[in-house]
Amino acid sequence: MLTGGGALAVGLQLATAPEASALDNGLNRTPQMGFNNWNSTHCGDRFNEDMIKGIADLFVSKGLKAAGYRYVNLDDCWALPERNAAGDLVPDPVRFPHGIKALADYVHGKGLKFGIYSSAGSKTCDVKGFPGGLGHERQDADLWASWGVDYLKYDNCNSQGLDAKARYQAMGDALKATGRPILYSICEWGSTGPWNWAGPVGNSWRTTGDISDTWQSMISIAQANQGTAAYAKPGAFNDPDMLEVGNGGMTATEYRTHFSLWAEMAAPLMIGTDLRTAEPETFEILTNADVIAVDQDPLGRQGSVVSSQNGLVVMSKPLADGSRAVTLTNEGSYDAVITTTAQTLGIGGATSYTVKDLWSKQTGTSTGTVSATVPGHGTAMFRVTPGSPVSPPTGTTWLSDLPFASATNFWGPVERDTTNGDHGTGDGTTLSIRGTTYAKGLGAHAPSDIAFHLGGTCRHLVTDVGVDDDAYGNGSVVFQVYKDGTKVADSGPLTGKDPAKHLTADLTGATTVRLVATDAGDGTSWDHADWAARALCRPAHQDAPGS
Ligand code: GLA
């Protein structure tokens, strides 16, 4: 599969990192994984309590839970067409004779989570018109929380012409007010450009209309979803709709393309087939651990198209360990050789690379070219790792002395040991927070996200953070530290008038640490974010954190 050919691919410009921050409900640091009945049953009779319990059983017995799938979710048609006298939603007693709470309890008993569906309108989308949440947000959210619901998919039908953001925000507020962590999946089909507003509102948002079980539907949805790559981040992901893998309308090659592209795009992996009747091949695709690891990578970045010519499409996704996940997709009908380079993938400069084929599991080396013969409608998928990986640090290490696994920044690059000067490399000045200067540190401009590969060797992070004096008292930033995708420190909002804040974080066992600066929700002006950050790494006797 790997060759030494020299073809060059065309690099496309990555979009500028957008400003909208992610919903801070602690959920969905990596894209949701689970099951939803819609693609296999719509509102047919097979959608009932037995099905949902059967799926929960199979999640455990077939290794899907072990592979990372967590949510077992109901779609439309679970309720009766009318609310009861108290205005509450009522589960359909034919489909769910023991009610929804008993079903949620059953799913929870398997160590899984349970999800439900409604619409941000007067009625849901099915022609029978089940009651929607518009005007009933608090009442419905409270009811779901009392049943133990962990996930809401909120659709967009019968919206009465009201503003989408306001309707979705109202339910987001209601979910928050329940005090129960409920993953919030926005489903307005991309119609109002939700990537521009939904980050702080929900945990994911549909970017397109409904998928169907055909190659044409799947690939056109993938193409549409590629355009919004820059907006995905931990807590807030683009959703190109649920999986059709196993439903019978595509070939196994096409289903592998579907699964590969969804993982490459950090999309929710919501199984949409009735696993009670699924073929072994369906389970093999859905439990490919290497592909799932790409989707679930803690950096939470969506892969983007780096070359596209004549239906031969190359995507590259930055991963937390400094590797790239790569898809080579042949959208045409006949075999084709697809070739790209480490340079095009964004990791040029090393003398050799380890290249793992995530479907065949074959591993090889390359001096920088990645190439495969790909059948029509097929995708080859690789994990490409620079062959001379960065050695994990030892001792007390200033993070400004380590290479970045990845770094995004609002203006100009992240600077080492100087402030962010807004433009090119090296245009900053001495780091300074309320008159205290720092010889070592990172000069960022929020929103910013800087990742370091630690390889499990470090024990503590110690840092002073604040808005630099070169913002003249302006600006406001929240500084957050993530250990392998979990937030372990948060400064709260700091303005250009606040003194430096001292943050520490436990890094024991961390593969990656990420330093995230958000704009504190009030725009990016003057958000010069300074990190005087150092890590205390092995050997262990050097672990006194100091001041
Ligand atoms: C819309 C959604 C689908 C599904 C149906 C249910 O079409 O986009 O995913 O939930 O409604 O009626």
Side-chain angles (χ1 to χ4, degrees):
M1 292 289 266
L2 313 176
T3 73
L8 269 179
V10 180
L12 301 182
Q13 201 69 37
L14 290 175
T16 312
E19 290 186 47
S21 57
L23 176 62
D24 196 11
N25 64 357
L27 299 172
N28 236 30
R29 305 306 305 172
T30 61
Q32 63 263 49
M33 295 175 65
F35 169 87
N36 173 297
N37 65 284
W38 181 255
N39 285 350
S40 64
T41 65
H42 285 208
C43 291
D45 294 341
R46 263 191 311 142
F47 172 43
N48 60 24
E49 183 177 291
D50 285 347
M51 177 189 206
I52 301 304
K53 288 167 93 173
I55 299 292
D57 294 346
L58 287 166
F59 263 31
V60 176
S61 64
K62 289 284 196 175
L64 293 151
K65 180 183 173 194
Y69 294 94
R70 279 289 172 282
Y71 293 96
V72 179
N73 295 358
L74 312 184
D75 209 280
D76 201 356
C77 306
W78 61 266
L80 285 179
E82 301 298 336
R83 293 173 179 271
N84 67 17
D88 280 336
L89 297 164
V90 183
D92 180 334
V94 176
R95 293 187 200 272
F96 301 105
H98 301 94
I100 300 296
K101 177 157 189 335
L103 188 56
D105 288 347
Y106 184 89
V107 171
H108 290 150
K110 302 268 162 189
L112 299 166
K113 293 189 179 294
F114 180 79
I116 211 156
Y117 164 96
S118 185
S119 178
S122 54
K123 290 179 185 302
T124 67
C125 294
D126 186 71
V127 284
K128 294 196 193 80
F130 298 97
L134 189 62
H136 295 267
E137 290 86 357
R138 287 296 288 266
Q139 182 172 8
D140 291 353
D142 287 346
L143 182 65
W144 296 325
S146 78
W147 289 345
V149 165
D150 306 300
Y151 183 122
L152 173 66
K153 170 179 171 180
Y154 205 39
D155 216 332
N156 195 33
C157 287
N158 304 299
S159 62
Q160 310 299 316
L162 299 171
D163 176 66
K165 184 176 177 188
R167 287 180 292 115
Y168 282 93
Q169 184 71 60
M171 182 54 84
D173 292 344
L175 294 175
K176 188 172 181 191
T178 68
R180 185 177 174 83
I182 300 178
L183 192 154
Y184 188 22
S185 157
I186 292 174
C187 176
E188 64 75 88
W189 323 307
S191 43
T192 63
W195 43 88
N196 289 315
W197 58 260
V201 181
N203 292 114
S204 64
W205 53 85
R206 282 270 297 277
T207 54
T208 71
D210 289 6
I211 194 168
S212 58
D213 189 19
T214 65
W215 164 261
Q216 200 46 51
S217 167
M218 183 277 289
I219 201 68
S220 58
I221 281 177
Q223 289 161 350
N225 195 62
Q226 284 159 345
T228 54
Y231 297 85
K233 65 186 72 171
F237 293 99
N238 292 300
D239 175 5
D241 207 357
M242 301 174 290
L243 299 169
E244 292 282 5
V245 176
N247 282 336
M250 289 184 246
T251 65
T253 296
E254 291 167 342
Y255 282 140
R256 278 192 288 273
T257 288
H258 182 12
F259 198 63
S260 300
L261 292 180
W262 263 235
E264 181 77 5
M265 296 189 296
L269 298 179
M270 299 301 293
I271 296 169
T273 197
D274 187 345
L275 293 169
R276 295 172 303 170
T277 52
E279 302 292 331
E281 191 168 56
T282 297
F283 286 101
E284 271 168 44
I285 293 172
L286 294 173
T287 58
N288 184 323
D290 288 308
V291 176
I292 291 172
V294 169
D295 183 75
Q296 296 291 302
D297 185 81
L299 258 192
R301 300 273 302 278
Q302 179 171 332
S304 52
V305 175
V306 293
S307 83
S308 179
Q309 285 169 317
N310 306 320
L312 307 180
V313 182
V314 180
M315 295 180 75
S316 176
K317 179 184 197 283
L319 302 177
D321 68 355
S323 303
R324 295 289 171 129
V326 181
T327 50
L328 309 179
T329 300
N330 178 1
E331 295 179 356
S333 302
Y334 304 101
D335 285 10
V337 175
I338 307 179
T339 302
T340 189
T341 65
Q343 181 83 28
T344 304
L345 297 172
I347 46 171
T351 50
S352 83
Y353 297 84
T354 305
V355 183
K356 181 173 185 186
D357 183 321
L358 305 189
W359 287 104
S360 77
K361 311 297 180 185
Q362 177 195 350
T363 297
T365 57
S366 163
T367 54
T369 300
V370 179
S371 184
T373 301
V374 184
H377 293 187
T379 292
M381 188 169 192
F382 301 100
R383 188 177 184 114
V384 182
T385 311
S388 321
V390 176
S391 320
T394 57
T396 299
T397 303
W398 290 99
L399 292 183
S400 58
D401 292 334
L402 290 181
F404 303 147
S406 68
T408 60
N409 201 48
F410 190 66
W411 290 117
V414 177
E415 298 284 358
R416 298 173 187 279
D417 306 329
T418 71
T419 61
N420 174 273
D422 287 348
H423 299 293
T425 307
D427 60 354
T429 55
T430 303
L431 294 161
S432 171
I433 306 171
R434 307 303 80 77
T436 302
T437 57
Y438 297 86
K440 301 292 291 178
L442 296 159
H445 193 303
S448 165
D449 189 331
I450 313 160
F452 298 91
H453 177 62
L454 302 178
T457 62
C458 297
R459 302 162 67 87
H460 279 102
L461 178 88
V462 180
T463 185
D464 277 5
V465 292
V467 177
D468 197 273
D469 287 327
D470 69 2
Y472 307 106
N474 301 298
S476 57
V477 174
V478 176
F479 295 82
Q480 298 168 331
V481 180
Y482 287 90
K483 171 188 174 183
D484 293 338
T486 301
K487 190 163 74 176
V488 289
D490 190 319
S491 68
L494 293 179
T495 74
K497 297 188 172 59
D498 291 321
K501 189 154 189 172
H502 190 66
L503 294 181
T504 61
D506 180 4
L507 294 182
T508 309
T511 303
T512 304
V513 66
R514 280 173 46 231
L515 308 183
V516 173
T518 80
D519 69 1
D522 62 355
T524 59
S525 296
W526 295 102
D527 285 349
H528 289 205
D530 290 354
W531 297 86
R534 60 203 162 104
L536 293 127
C537 305
R538 273 205 298 265
H541 64 265
Q542 294 183 357
D543 69 349
S547 56

